[in-house]
């Protein structure tokens, strides 16, 4: 009787540990693995001599309750910092009102924004 309960419980435990969040990337991972997990970025920015920044963006929509029209509220950004060796050095997530086309790495560095490291 104990084996009948123990085997499904252990199996359920292994299955719960095997599932991973595909939207997260760990520091130290290879760029090729990042591209495999997250796909192609919407923008790739030059990070001076430190490598590059991969920018992933999702536009978040909401309804105002009175109409079924969707209006854009904000963009959810995921910045992945890749060094010159091709490994992830840092990640950053933030919400902004501007679209990915408006991101400029030179201006970001001069403004000392959170996304420019």
């Amino acid at each position: 009787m104990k084996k009948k309960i123990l085997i499904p419980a252990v199996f359920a435990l292994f299955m719960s540990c095997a599932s991973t969040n595909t939207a997260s990337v760990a520091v130290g991972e290879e760029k090729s693995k990042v591209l495999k997990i997250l796909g192609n970025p919407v923008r790739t920015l030059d990070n001076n001599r430190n490598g590059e920044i991969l920018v992933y963006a999702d536009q978040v929509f909401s309804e105002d309750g009175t109409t079924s029209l969707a209006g854009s509220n904000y963009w959810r950004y995921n910045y992945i910092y890749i060094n010159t060796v091709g490994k992830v050095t840092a990640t950053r997530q933030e919400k902004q009102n501007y679209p990915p086309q408006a991101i400029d790495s030179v201006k970001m560095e001069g403004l000392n924004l959170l996304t420019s490291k």
Side-chain angles (χ1 to χ4, degrees):
M1 179 71 176
K2 290 181 183 179
K3 287 183 181 179
K4 289 182 180 179
I5 296 173
L6 183 62
I7 291 173
V10 170
F11 182 72
L13 177 67
F14 282 123
M15 291 304 293
S16 66
C17 294
S19 64
T20 60
N21 184 1
T22 59
S24 65
V25 176
V27 172
E29 289 185 0
E30 298 283 335
K31 179 182 175 183
S32 59
K33 186 173 181 182
V34 172
L35 294 175
K36 187 176 182 179
I37 292 172
L38 298 177
N40 292 328
V42 294
R43 297 281 310 268
T44 301
L45 304 174
D46 184 31
N47 196 10
N48 292 332
R49 289 171 275 181
N50 298 330
E52 62 186 347
I53 304 170
L54 305 178
V55 180
Y56 295 90
D58 291 320
Q59 191 172 15
V60 179
F61 293 97
S62 69
E63 295 182 15
D64 65 357
T66 59
T67 65
S68 60
L69 297 176
S72 63
N73 281 346
Y74 61 91
W75 287 84
R76 186 180 308 129
Y77 286 102
N78 189 8
Y79 298 93
I80 311 293
Y81 294 86
I82 307 289
N83 64 9
T84 55
V85 181
K87 296 203 180 240
V88 175
T89 58
T91 63
R92 183 177 306 275
Q93 296 178 351
E94 64 181 31
K95 298 175 185 177
Q96 294 293 340
N97 292 327
Y98 53 82
Q101 297 83 4
I103 299 173
D104 185 5
S105 61
V106 175
K107 289 180 182 177
M108 285 172 37
E109 184 178 340
L111 295 173
N112 295 323
L113 297 176
L114 289 176
T115 54
S116 59
K117 288 182 83 177

